[in-house]
């Protein structure tokens, strides 16, 4: 029985790959209806003209994206319960998740509301998860970090890759932390602090390069019309 299932899986995959190869060879172009920016319960994300939201990212609900901010491929910013703010020239890198506690949680144990605030010039590394926390300006968060609800990361901080900041913890300004749970490593010198802003600005420049390559969010029909004018057979994927 298991052998039969394995054969079916292999054959199915082979057929799908063959079909995809034939579509490419025929010149067919596939476009998607995925909505990178989505309204939820009447709350529509706010983005500026120079905000980059990747075609495969998801920005949902009560989210405010400041100028030159970016949400990269596969990342999710989900403001379906409480507000989320992404600051100026800040970036949410590939597959990172920024969300809040459920709507029935109206107050944190610290007495603050369970919003998620990401300040200016903040870099959130690939695969990281932020939950109802506050990240001040000029913070570099490494890949696959986890920051729990109620946590506060002060300005001019670097979190090493894989750092786990427990709920309601506070990371003081001007320091480097790492580990699980997060532990102090060293005080940052001026060069390290300057690197935080430089890193965010570098990603911001890269985001603008990606931005000009894509159509405005939600206008996939324009892409379809262009393809039809060119005589290219198109299929909605």
């Amino acid at each position: 029985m298991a052998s039969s299932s394995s054969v079916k899986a292999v054959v199915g995959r082979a057929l799908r790959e063959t079909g995809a190869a034939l579509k490419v060879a025929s010149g067919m172009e596939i476009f998607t209806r995925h909505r990178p920016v989505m309204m939820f319960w009447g709350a529509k994300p706010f983005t500026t003209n120079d905000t980059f939201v990747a075609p495969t990212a998801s920005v949902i609900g009560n989210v405010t994206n400041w100028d030159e901010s970016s949400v990269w491929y596969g990342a999710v910013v989900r403001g379906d319960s409480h507000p989320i703010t992404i600051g100026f020239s800040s970036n949410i890198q590939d597959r990172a998740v920024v969300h809040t506690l459920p709507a029935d949680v109206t107050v944190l144990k610290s007495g603050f509301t369970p919003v998620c605030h990401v300040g200016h010039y903040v870099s959130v590394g690939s695969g990281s998860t932020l939950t109802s926390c506050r990240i001040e300006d000029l913070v570099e968060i490494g890949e696959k970090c986890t920051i729990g609800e109620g946590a506060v990361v002060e300005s001019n901080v670097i979190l090493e890759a894989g750092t786990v900041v427990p709920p309601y913890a506070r990371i003081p300004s001007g320091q480097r932390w790492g580990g699980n749970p997060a532990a102090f490593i060293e005080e940052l010198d001026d060069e390290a602090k300057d690197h935080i802003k430089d890193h965010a600005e570098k990603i911001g420049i890269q985001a603008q390069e990606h931005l000009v390559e894509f159509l405005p969010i939600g206008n996939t029909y324009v892409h379809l019309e262009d393809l039809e004018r060119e005589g290219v057979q198109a299929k909605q994927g």
Side-chain angles (χ1 to χ4, degrees):
M1 194 71 172
S3 177
S4 175
S5 299
S6 299
V7 170
K8 289 180 180 179
V10 171
V11 172
R13 180 179 179 184
L15 290 173
R16 287 194 300 272
E17 291 182 352
T18 301
L22 289 173
K23 288 177 181 177
V24 172
S26 68
M28 177 180 288
E29 187 160 349
I30 300 174
F31 71 101
T32 178
R33 290 187 66 185
H34 170 71
R35 291 184 292 167
V37 178
M38 190 181 86
M39 180 183 293
F40 187 85
W41 287 113
K44 182 180 180 180
F46 173 80
T47 59
T48 65
N49 291 333
D50 54 6
T51 297
F52 171 63
V53 179
T56 57
S58 297
V59 179
I60 303 164
N62 194 352
V63 178
T64 299
N65 292 85
W66 281 58
D67 303 78
E68 299 183 23
S69 60
S70 56
V71 183
W72 289 81
Y73 302 90
V76 177
V77 181
R78 184 160 56 86
D80 55 353
S81 300
H82 301 284
I84 295 175
T85 301
I86 309 297
F88 176 83
S89 197
S90 291
N91 57 83
I92 311 300
Q93 297 170 29
D94 308 71
R95 304 182 312 283
V97 176
V98 180
H99 67 141
T100 64
L101 294 176
D104 58 355
V105 180
T106 58
V107 181
L108 295 170
K109 294 178 181 178
S110 58
F112 294 101
T113 54
V115 303
C116 194
H117 173 84
V118 177
H120 307 315
Y121 298 105
V122 173
S123 298
V124 179
S126 302
S128 294
T129 301
L130 279 60
T131 306
S132 290
C133 55
R134 183 174 183 85
I135 312 298
E136 299 289 353
D137 301 342
L138 297 164
V139 174
E140 184 175 331
I141 300 172
E143 296 183 357
K144 297 182 179 179
C145 290
T146 301
I147 303 179
E149 70 272 11
V152 176
V153 180
E154 296 183 358
S155 60
N156 289 301
V157 164
I158 295 178
L159 298 181
E160 294 292 312
T163 301
V164 176
V165 180
Y168 302 102
R170 176 179 288 272
I171 307 298
S173 176
Q175 299 180 352
R176 184 190 304 272
W177 285 58
N180 181 11
F184 171 77
I185 297 176
E186 64 180 1
E187 296 286 344
L188 297 181
D189 57 21
D190 291 340
E191 182 179 355
K193 292 177 182 178
D194 290 341
H195 170 77
I196 296 173
K197 185 176 181 179
D198 292 343
H199 181 63
E201 289 180 333
K202 181 179 179 181
I203 294 177
I205 293 172
Q206 188 177 20
Q208 295 306 304
E209 294 172 351
H210 282 250
L211 179 63
V212 299
E213 293 296 325
F214 296 103
L215 296 167
I217 300 304
N219 289 334
T220 53
Y221 68 89
V222 177
H223 188 195
L224 177 59
E225 290 173 353
D226 289 343
L227 293 174
E228 289 175 343
R229 278 195 295 270
E230 295 170 7
V232 178
Q233 185 181 7
K235 178 182 178 181
Q236 185 168 284

